[in-house]
Amino acid sequence: MKHILSIIAITFLLTSCGEEKKNSVEKVLEGNNLETIRTKRAELVGQQEALNAKIKLLDERITDLDTTKHIPLITTFTAKQEVFNHMLELQGNVTTKKLIVITPEYNGILINIYVKEGQKVSKGQILAKIDDGGLGQQLSQLQIQADLAKTTFDRQSRLWEQKIGSEIQYLQAKSSYEGQTQAVNQLKQQLAKTTVRAPFSGTIDDIITEQGSVVGAGQTPLIRIVNLDNMYIETEVPERYVSNVVAGKNVQVEFSVLGKTIDTKVRQASDFINPANRTFKVEIDIPNKEKTIKPNLTAKLKINDYTNENALLIPQSIISENADGEQYVYVVNNKNKNEEGVAKRIIIKTGKTQGDVIEVLEGVENGAEIINEGARSVKDGQTVKVLTYETENNG
């Protein structure tokens, strides 16, 4: 409006004296007198300066009378205490302690495989057989000798009880029997190594070595077996969170490839800090009743490392910083019935952030009316008008 009134004033003044100036200037120009032309020009310049001074006075009065046109329009929200759960975001991989590749304990030819891929097996079940290289025959011979030694010892023992025979005969029989028995047991243990058994109940995931292949003890991978019941996620956490990320903390696990989110807890936090990368390991329980979660699956983790039951949260976008590095926001005070109030700058101290919001530790009181939209365009002590009043901060 100030500029419109200025234009009207100028138009009015120019119109009122337009004809006179026109005629006067025409007459001067028709005379072709240089001095007269210069004099006329100086006269017009003086009139223009006087006119500008009058316009300036009009603008100043308009500014004084029309103050409502200078009030910034803003929106606000009320600072409200709420529970703030800060979440540490990491990535981890699914694993299980029951996932192994079985290798043989005996050198020889893999003569039999008794299971198929995908087959469920129980702990101790026979999976494969390796040629024993004649150990079975040796065991049979040793067993015959052990049986004879037992018979001899039993007879000598009865005689010794009847005080018949010498003590040395009794001890020799006993020693022979115990030696043969030990030899049989050792050979049985050796022979047992030719039989491959399931170390735990699970599913045969892969038959790696074909029947008829020569295998080496502790070297040749035979069968991969996995159990999906006791699954967990392992991740590495920076050492600065060592006192906040502990057993029992809530965790939200997201499997993006499965479109699945699970709420669980930290089951174990390591006490060892890896000196190479300054992290410690954390294990997180994963329920897997549907058997859809597989080993080595990548997961996004949100671990609750901090909770404030009475936090004041504000949008990060409304925070400004002064030359001293202090953060500040604006609140509205002394608001009248016309929703007009005074903007006041408040220095604040902030804490943790989560998404678009940040925790205010100092400076803002519960129930304060904080400027949201327009926060970066107002000044301290400026009159503002609230257009929309939001009862709470939605972040």
Side-chain angles (χ1 to χ4, degrees), residues 13-182:
L13 292 172
L14 292 175
T15 302
S16 63
C17 58
E19 290 299 324
E20 180 180 351
K21 289 181 179 179
K22 180 180 179 182
N23 293 336
S24 178
V25 170
E26 288 176 352
K27 289 179 180 180
V28 171
L29 293 176
E30 288 175 359
N32 289 326
N33 187 307
L34 180 58
E35 292 299 327
T36 304
I37 293 174
R38 285 177 175 172
T39 301
K40 189 60 179 176
R41 184 184 181 282
E43 178 187 344
L44 291 176
V45 170
Q47 293 177 0
Q48 184 180 19
E49 290 177 352
L51 187 61
N52 287 338
K54 293 179 180 179
I55 292 173
K56 183 179 179 180
L57 292 173
L58 292 172
D59 287 342
E60 291 176 352
R61 182 52 59 87
I62 290 172
T63 300
D64 293 337
L65 298 176
D66 193 21
T67 57
T68 58
K69 299 302 178 182
H70 301 286
I71 298 179
L73 304 178
I74 61 163
T75 64
T76 64
F77 66 90
T78 299
K80 184 180 180 181
Q81 290 182 339
E82 56 185 294
V83 177
F84 175 49
N85 291 313
H86 182 266
M87 309 300 281
L88 173 63
E89 297 187 9
L90 299 169
Q91 280 195 332
N93 291 321
V94 176
T95 186
T96 176
K97 297 187 184 299
K98 292 186 175 181
L99 170 61
I100 66 168
V101 174
I102 300 174
T103 57
E105 297 182 88
Y106 193 81
N107 297 320
I109 300 174
L110 185 64
I111 57 176
N112 279 310
I113 297 176
Y114 302 111
V115 292
K116 298 179 180 179
E117 293 179 356
Q119 179 179 338
K120 295 185 181 301
V121 296
S122 55
K123 181 178 179 179
Q125 182 174 334
I126 298 176
L127 307 180
K129 186 73 170 67
I130 300 170
D131 181 40
D132 60 24
L135 285 181
Q137 295 177 353
Q138 294 180 33
L139 179 61
S140 298
Q141 294 174 1
L142 278 178
Q143 188 63 58
I144 292 173
Q145 296 175 15
D147 291 343
L148 176 60
K150 183 178 185 306
T151 301
T152 302
F153 172 67
D154 289 343
R155 290 180 179 178
Q156 193 65 41
S157 179
R158 287 194 296 271
L159 291 174
W160 177 247
E161 290 174 357
Q162 298 173 11
K163 306 298 182 180
I164 301 174
S166 65
E167 182 180 4
I168 190 65
Q169 291 176 323
Y170 168 75
L171 294 176
Q172 287 176 344
K174 180 181 178 182
S175 176
S176 176
Y177 168 62
E178 291 177 347
Q180 291 294 334
T181 301
Q182 186 174 6

